[in-house]
């Protein structure tokens, strides 16, 4: 009896695994890239996606072809034509043909940005160029990606900036520092926040309790416990009156009164009441929101006028990207909808992610695969 039960369980497991690998996609305008049979997978970046098989990582192209064999213990994502890969304890960089282009035996390696990447040697970070040349000594505890020619560095809890040539912009004198955006970066000293330019000089004196990043000419800033928005002269353009405020994206910002969320435009006008339990940035012309129903939290989408385009009915949802959004039904299965709310890909998946470079990652059981937007008609 016990052997029979075990045999049945093994058969059922085999059927489940077979189903996850032989899934047939029935959706007009979309195609399945190969089968859903990867142990793990990451989103596409620069035309390639990392996939895992037999415990090792490799890469497929946008046609679903395995173009770089699964031989690596860990991988990053392609950026500026290169990707960090790990074999054993060592990290190197490969190109899109799978050739090793920087053989550095690094202890850690991050993606390239603006022609520079941070790598770890002897438990400290330095920066390298695209040929693998070290542009400074491995000195820092943290080096963030470059933005507008500068990168945040940290050593012993003090922050500063490093230039693309490997020299410091001034000294490590800040208690906190953010990436540059719109030519300015927020820095902290003596528990107050101000903003410096790319020359390292203060453009806005330290007078705020906290701040964010400049985006679309405005920056969220906190003064005396309330958030508003300042211009590049450091003066409030939108007076502080919210308990939270996010960056402006696509002409709108999410704000909160402490318990509920809503949206304002660049004139500071509330385009919705502060009535959502969660609110997210606009993407593809629509914003994802969450309301609290009697039984569960429900996700829906509003347009730029603040009107519902898709009523809150979904257990979970991801932002719209490339015209579609992954949403989850109350039975916990995921599928995809168009911007008018029409289902376009059946709710067959245990996980579904946003479209990126025309391809979305999906999961059935314990296996991953990819769905591609068919642009050929």
């Amino acid at each position: 009896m016990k052997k029979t039960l075990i045999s049945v369980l093994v058969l059922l497991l085999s059927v489940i695994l077979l189903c996850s690998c032989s899934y047939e996609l029935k959706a007009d305008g979309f195609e399945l890239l190969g089968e859903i049979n990867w142990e793990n997978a990451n989103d596409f970046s620069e035309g390639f996606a990392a996939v895992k098989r037999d415990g090792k990582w490799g890469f497929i192209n946008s046609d679903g072809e395995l173009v770089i064999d699964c031989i690596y213990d860990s991988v990053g994502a392609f950026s500026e034509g290169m990707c960090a890969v790990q074999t054993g304890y060592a990290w190197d960089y490969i190109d899109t043909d799978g050739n090793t282009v920087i053989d550095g035996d690094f202890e850690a390696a991050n993606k390239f940005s603006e022609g520079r990447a941070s790598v770890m040697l002897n438990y400290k970070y330095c920066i390298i160029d695209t040929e693998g040349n070290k542009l400074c000594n491995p000195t820092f505890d943290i080096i963030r990606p470059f933005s507008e020619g500068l990168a945040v560095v940290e050593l012993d809890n003090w922050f500063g900036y490093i230039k693309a040539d490997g020299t410091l912009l001034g000294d490590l004198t800040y208690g906190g520092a953010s990436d540059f955006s719109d030519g300015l970066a927020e820095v902290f000293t003596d528990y107050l926040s101000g903003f410096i330019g790319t020359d390292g000089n203060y453009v806005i004196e330290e007078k705020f309790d906290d701040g964010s990043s400049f985006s679309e000419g405005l920056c969220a800033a906190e003064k005396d416990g309330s958030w508003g928005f300042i211009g590049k002269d450091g003066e409030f353009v939108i007076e502080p009156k919210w308990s939270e405020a996010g960056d402006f994206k696509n002409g709108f910002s999410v704000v909160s009164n402490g318990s509920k969320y809503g949206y304002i435009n660049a004139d500071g006008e509330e385009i919705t009441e502060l009535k959502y339990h969660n609110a997210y940035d606009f993407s593809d012309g629509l914003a994802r929101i969450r309301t609290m129903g009697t039984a569960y939290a429900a996700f829906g989408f509003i347009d730029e006028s603040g009107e519902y385009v898709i009523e809150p009915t979904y257990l979970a949802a991801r932002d719209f990207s490339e015209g579609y959004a992954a949403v989850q039904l109350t039975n916990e299965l995921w599928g995809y909808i168009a911007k008018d709310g029409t289902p376009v890909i059946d709710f067959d998946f245990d996980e579904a992610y946003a479209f990126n470079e025309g391809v979305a990652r999906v999961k059935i059981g314990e296996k991953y695969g990819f769905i591609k937007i068919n642009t050929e008609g």
Side-chain angles (χ1 to χ4, degrees):
M1 180 65 180
K2 183 181 290 185
K3 289 183 179 179
T4 302
L5 180 60
I6 291 173
S7 298
V8 171
L9 290 174
V10 170
L11 179 60
L12 287 173
L13 179 60
S14 300
V15 170
I16 291 171
L17 292 175
L18 179 62
C19 290
S20 68
C21 293
S22 59
Y23 172 77
E24 182 180 356
L25 178 69
K26 296 179 180 179
D28 293 337
F30 303 89
E31 61 180 299
L32 191 66
L33 292 187
E35 295 182 332
I36 300 179
N37 61 0
W38 302 108
E39 294 171 10
N40 205 342
N42 296 333
D43 290 333
F44 271 82
S45 176
E46 297 190 351
F48 298 89
V51 292
K52 190 176 186 181
R53 175 183 288 166
D54 298 328
K56 299 288 186 178
W57 288 88
F59 291 87
I60 62 171
N61 62 17
S62 58
D63 292 322
E65 302 165 333
L66 185 66
V67 291
I68 299 175
D69 289 338
C70 296
I71 58 174
Y72 302 107
D73 295 315
S74 188
V75 296
F78 273 95
S79 175
E80 301 185 2
M82 289 185 284
C83 180
V85 295
Q86 183 187 28
T87 305
Y89 293 102
W91 285 85
D92 303 304
Y93 289 88
I94 61 172
D95 63 16
T96 55
D97 292 321
N99 301 315
T100 300
V101 289
I102 299 176
D103 185 358
D105 269 359
F106 305 118
E107 295 151 23
N110 296 306
K111 71 177 183 179
F112 274 88
S113 61
E114 299 185 1
R116 301 290 182 265
S118 62
V119 296
M120 179 185 281
L121 289 165
N122 298 320
Y123 303 103
K124 294 290 185 180
Y125 281 95
C126 65
I127 58 171
I128 60 171
D129 62 19
T130 54
E131 296 180 351
N133 300 309
K134 291 189 287 292
L135 304 180
C136 64
N137 292 323
T139 304
F140 304 101
D141 297 325
I142 292 173
I143 302 179
R144 294 184 199 153
F146 273 82
S147 174
E148 301 187 8
L150 295 161
V152 175
V153 294
E154 186 247 323
L155 177 61
D156 297 331
N157 296 318
W158 290 101
F159 293 81
Y161 294 88
I162 194 169
K163 302 177 186 178
D165 63 4
T167 61
L168 285 173
L169 178 71
D171 298 320
L172 304 183
T173 58
Y174 305 115
S178 69
D179 297 336
F180 273 88
S181 176
D182 274 6
L184 297 174
E186 181 194 22
V187 294
F188 280 90
T189 57
D190 297 327
Y191 304 102
L192 289 176
S193 164
F195 294 82
I196 61 171
T198 54
D199 60 0
N201 295 319
Y202 274 97
V203 176
I204 300 172
E205 65 181 8
E206 299 160 295
K207 59 182 180 179
F208 303 105
D209 302 324
D210 200 355
S212 184
S213 300
F214 271 90
S215 175
E216 302 180 9
L218 296 171
C219 177
E222 182 186 17
K223 186 70 173 176
D224 298 327
S226 295
W227 286 80
F229 292 86
I230 59 173
K232 290 189 174 182
D233 60 358
E235 299 300 319
F236 277 103
V237 177
I238 302 173
E239 290 301 314
K241 59 179 180 178
W242 296 285
S243 62
E244 295 179 53
D247 293 339
F248 267 92
K249 293 182 180 179
N250 302 306
F252 302 95
S253 172
V254 176
V255 294
S256 173
N257 59 10
S259 61
K260 299 291 180 66
Y261 294 82
Y263 295 85
I264 62 170
N265 61 23
D267 294 322
E269 300 167 339
E270 294 183 359
I271 68 164
T272 70
E273 298 176 14
L274 305 186
K275 59 182 180 179
Y276 308 114
H277 281 76
N278 288 99
Y280 304 85
D281 292 328
F282 273 87
S283 175
D284 253 11
L286 299 177
R288 177 169 51 112
I289 56 86
R290 184 175 74 98
T291 61
M292 185 63 70
T294 56
Y296 59 90
F299 285 83
F301 295 86
I302 63 170
D303 63 18
E304 295 179 354
S305 69
E307 297 296 322
Y308 278 118
V309 174
I310 300 167
E311 293 287 336
T313 54
Y314 295 106
L315 185 63
R318 307 193 193 281
D319 290 337
F320 269 91
S321 176
E322 303 182 19
Y324 306 100
V327 292
Q328 185 185 35
L329 297 177
T330 54
N331 64 5
E332 298 188 354
L333 290 178
W334 288 79
Y336 289 86
I337 59 174
K339 294 171 77 172
D340 62 359
T342 304
V344 292
I345 300 177
D346 287 343
F347 291 81
D348 294 332
F349 307 104
D350 295 301
E351 291 282 352
Y353 301 87
F355 276 92
N356 180 46
E357 298 187 5
V359 185
R361 184 166 43 111
V362 294
K363 183 180 181 184
I364 294 180
E366 296 301 317
K367 298 293 185 179
Y368 289 84
F370 296 89
I371 293 173
K372 182 178 181 179
I373 301 172
N374 190 343
T375 57
E376 297 178 0

